[in-house]
Amino acid sequence: MVGMKMRIIVWVSMMALVLPELRAGEQEMKAALDMWAQREAEYRAVLSEATTQEQRDSVPEPSADEVAPVLWKAIRKQTGTREQTPQTRNGRERAEQSVVPTYEFDEAWAAPAVVWFLNRPETLAKMYEKSPKKLAMYAKALLDSVLYRHFSSPLIGEACAKLAENNGSDVYEVLQKIYERNTTPAARAAAALAMSVMLANPATAGGEGGLARARAKRIYLIRQALNLAPPDAKFGAVSLTDAASELIYRITQLEEGAIPPRMKLTDPQGKECLFPEVGKMNLIFFWDPSEDVGMSIMQKQAVLLRQYPDLTLCPVVVNGEREEWQRMMQSNGIEICYMDDEQGTAGRAYRVQHLPHAVLIDEHARVVYCGYPNMQLQTALDHWKSEHKQQPKSPSSPSPAPAPAPQARPNADQPADHPAPPLREMPAF
């Protein structure tokens, strides 16, 4: 710890001699960022020498804990005040004005450090964990620095993927300004894709007039991102093209109103079954016996089916051997269960990241709900049951066939409805 601090101090001193034409804060910023780049290079070098996955997993990632305070000190100095006129989402200025402090990180030269902190918000949170008011103030000031200054920086696209993880309308406004006012194609492309990600949230989609219009805008923004992006464009840790393909897959296959993928599962006797069943209401439920919430729901599956007698229940166990699985079912009174294959194909197709995970699919083979089994799922089930009672289906009516799934190609000139990309590991947005 002491040794690392001494290395940073020596590095800052050296850079101060090499770069005398730069102001002190800028010198310190460049020295800290160079130190971080060196540590990342050392990490990649050690990782490249590892020959097994176990060795790779044992290599610790570089910690930002020592670099962050030095970098923050270089850019946090207050420089004065400015009058700030907030804007609405459509770009119009609001009536009220306020006088806010300005900092060195508002300067154009500080853009690399601002991007660094936007991509690592936990570092700022750790420094101000005992002062939440200061943390909130600085976090807002950093975001405002993008809205009023750094939106035009060629570097700001590197922070768009991380910004998209937020849900606030202020973040969406920042991304919108980057998309509309930045002149760097890669930055505009990243902002467009980040806006599309954020519009999956109903709170953000409400500003577009509802989920249907938001969905259309999301497809449009993905097209724009693919049109603008150079071949080597990145979105967070993955290529922008891969991130866009993954987003199209989610929109067309997993989100509300989409047609989900069909999957082959095996029952306790080893017989293959195909789900979801077309013409029926399906509840696909991914779970693991070692997880308490999923186990509790599975032990009550008889109660669930009495409450919703026309529901097709498809519980999917994602781990375990068949014999172990059969013993588990018997000891816990579980009558209905299916098993994913050894490659986890079904779980990957439904992008299951946390257990338990529920997917409710209606009689027309469209997703009604996808996510954690909470009150939203309960509400969706009750709503379906109410409608089902009012409009009973005629036994003689043929089951509706699912529409063909739209195709996803990273070609922005083609229609937005296109086939899902091949299954891959979920990109870390």
Side-chain angles (χ1 to χ4, degrees):
M1 179 78 173
V2 175
M4 179 56 67
K5 288 183 177 178
M6 286 301 298
R7 287 174 67 190
I8 293 176
I9 291 171
V10 171
W11 196 275
V12 170
S13 301
M14 291 174 60
M15 292 302 293
L17 294 173
V18 175
L19 303 170
E21 74 281 3
L22 301 178
R23 66 198 82 194
E26 190 171 359
Q27 288 176 2
E28 293 173 2
M29 178 195 77
K30 286 181 175 293
L33 289 174
D34 284 344
M35 176 63 74
W36 176 252
Q38 179 183 347
R39 293 177 67 182
E40 283 194 316
E42 291 171 353
Y43 167 72
R44 288 192 295 270
V46 174
L47 205 61
S48 66
E49 293 175 359
T51 56
T52 66
Q53 187 59 46
E54 184 179 358
Q55 290 177 342
R56 284 188 285 271
D57 291 341
S58 67
V59 179
E61 293 186 12
S63 170
D65 290 349
E66 289 83 26
V67 175
V70 179
L71 187 58
W72 182 240
K73 183 182 177 182
I75 65 170
R76 74 178 181 188
K77 182 180 177 182
Q78 186 171 337
T79 57
T81 60
R82 71 163 179 261
E83 285 190 356
Q84 185 167 294
T85 305
Q87 295 180 337
T88 62
R89 183 157 163 176
N90 60 12
R92 296 177 183 174
E93 294 184 346
R94 298 189 178 105
E96 70 271 16
Q97 283 188 335
S98 58
V99 176
V100 298
T102 57
Y103 303 90
E104 284 191 320
F105 57 72
D106 288 309
E107 300 295 329
W109 59 262
V114 170
V115 169
W116 192 92
F117 277 107
L118 290 176
N119 278 323
R120 298 166 185 83
E122 70 283 353
T123 59
L124 196 65
K126 188 174 291 187
M127 286 190 288
Y128 290 100
E129 59 185 348
K130 295 182 179 179
S131 183
K133 287 186 178 180
K134 276 191 175 182
L135 173 61
M137 177 192 73
Y138 281 127
K140 184 179 185 308
L142 275 172
L143 191 63
D144 283 347
S145 77
V146 181
L147 184 63
Y148 293 97
R149 165 69 79 168
H150 301 303
F151 67 87
S152 60
S153 169
L155 300 176
I156 200 62
E158 298 173 17
C160 288
K162 195 67 178 181
L163 286 173
E165 295 178 8
N166 297 273
N167 293 324
S169 60
D170 52 346
V171 176
Y172 188 86
E173 290 171 13
V174 168
L175 292 170
Q176 187 172 13
K177 192 165 185 179
I178 296 169
Y179 170 62
E180 293 175 351
R181 304 278 294 276
N182 198 294
T183 58
T184 307
R188 291 192 64 208
L193 197 60
M195 289 167 67
S196 185
V197 171
M198 288 196 71
L199 284 171
N201 185 291
T204 309
E208 300 297 331
L211 287 174
R213 295 188 65 176
R215 184 182 184 276
K217 184 167 184 177
R218 294 180 70 194
I219 296 294
Y220 168 78
L221 287 168
I222 294 171
R223 285 179 169 179
Q224 290 295 95
L226 292 170
N227 268 331
L228 288 164
D232 59 347
K234 304 283 283 185
F235 189 72
V238 300
S239 77
L240 186 140
T241 299
D242 283 351
S245 295
E246 180 65 28
L247 193 54
I248 291 170
Y249 181 86
R250 287 177 172 273
I251 292 172
T252 59
Q253 305 254 350
L254 299 177
E255 295 183 3
E256 183 179 339
I259 300 173
R262 302 195 81 184
M263 55 186 175
K264 286 183 179 179
L265 304 169
T266 54
D267 68 8
Q269 289 71 45
K271 178 184 176 183
E272 280 194 349
C273 304
L274 190 62
F275 289 98
E277 293 185 16
V278 181
K280 297 182 179 180
M281 195 73 167
N282 292 257
L283 176 59
I284 314 293
F285 188 78
F286 293 91
W287 68 294
D288 188 299
S290 64
E291 193 276 316
D292 292 340
V293 175
M295 174 61 80
S296 175
I297 292 174
M298 283 298 92
Q299 289 174 325
K300 299 173 183 175
Q301 63 179 220
V303 177
L304 178 68
L305 291 174
R306 282 198 301 270
Q307 188 175 0
Y308 307 102
D310 296 323
L311 180 70
T312 295
L313 180 62
C314 176
V316 185
V317 173
V318 296
N319 293 311
E321 299 294 331
R322 184 171 301 280
E323 291 182 1
E324 176 189 351
W325 170 41
Q326 290 171 334
R327 286 194 298 271
M328 174 274 299
M329 289 180 62
Q330 292 173 358
S331 61
N332 290 280
I334 298 172
E335 296 182 4
I336 305 172
C337 202
Y338 301 90
M339 195 171 190
D340 200 354
D341 61 26
E342 293 180 358
Q343 291 74 39
T345 303
R348 287 169 51 241
Y350 279 82
R351 298 305 193 256
V352 177
Q353 293 177 302
H354 304 287
L355 296 173
H357 184 83
V359 186
L360 188 63
I361 302 164
D362 68 15
E363 301 95 323
H364 306 293
R366 294 194 177 273
V367 175
V368 176
Y369 175 82
C370 183
Y372 190 80
N374 55 18
M375 286 304 297
Q376 285 181 275
L377 174 61
Q378 181 76 54
T379 301
L381 281 166
D382 290 341
H383 179 72
W384 164 72
K385 182 179 179 181
S386 175
E387 283 196 338
H388 190 70
K389 281 185 176 180
Q390 293 174 6
Q391 298 178 347
K393 183 181 175 181
S394 169
S396 60
S397 300
S399 297
Q407 192 175 35
R409 295 184 291 269
N411 182 348
D413 296 327
Q414 298 298 327
D417 295 333
H418 35 251
L423 295 179
R424 62 173 71 85
E425 293 301 318
M426 173 60 190
F429 285 164

